[in-house]
Amino acid sequence: IVLTGGDDRLWKTWGFPDGNILLTGEGHTDWLSGCCFRPSGTQLVTSSGDTTVRIWDLSRRGCILTLRGHSRAVRGCSWHSCGDFVASASADGTSKIWDVNSERCRYTLRGHEGSVNSIEFLPFSSTALTSSADKTLSLWDVRTGVRVHTFQGHVHPCNHATFN
């Protein structure tokens, strides 16, 4: 299954390789910037220009949780490999670690001087990686919300970073 999100405010799942649309989800009020399956494959997370992060249940075909707390567009989202946490990166200069079970923000990661454009979890760890318009990448300990390292060297904004 392929998952996409677009400027049309919709996410879609597609059969692979035939390309048939399987499901479509609507509910965001602005463009979608990111989408990611829960490791179990039963749910997904989306991020949007409407400042929210949403959790969707595929069997119910609907949004089951809207996470609010960013003041500007949410630029990306990621699901932790354990399935209990979601991360979001925002144009407000922060990232958030959300506890899906308690439906609350566990930590707000502050330290970038520009938009945070992406966030990824290192699989099976307590480390997250952010990229920012401030031309840096940062590693975070998501158990404490503390930045543990900053990578510098880009001469233009960083739009995305990931682990191998």
Side-chain angles (χ1 to χ4, degrees), residues 81-150:
S81 53
C82 74
D84 293 331
F85 301 98
V86 164
S88 58
S90 175
D92 66 12
T94 69
S95 294
K96 293 185 181 289
I97 305 300
W98 304 92
D99 183 325
V100 176
N101 297 319
S102 70
E103 303 180 1
R104 297 180 191 266
C105 177
R106 179 169 277 191
Y107 293 107
T108 298
L109 310 179
R110 292 182 172 88
H112 283 294
E113 295 177 11
S115 172
V116 183
N117 296 327
S118 73
I119 188 164
E120 297 281 338
F121 287 107
L122 177 63
F124 309 104
S125 80
S126 60
T127 301
L129 174 66
T130 54
S131 67
S132 175
D134 68 9
K135 306 173 194 165
T136 67
L137 309 170
S138 291
L139 285 176
W140 304 85
D141 183 334
V142 298
R143 295 170 302 182
T144 61
V146 173
R147 181 165 43 183
V148 295
H149 189 75
T150 299

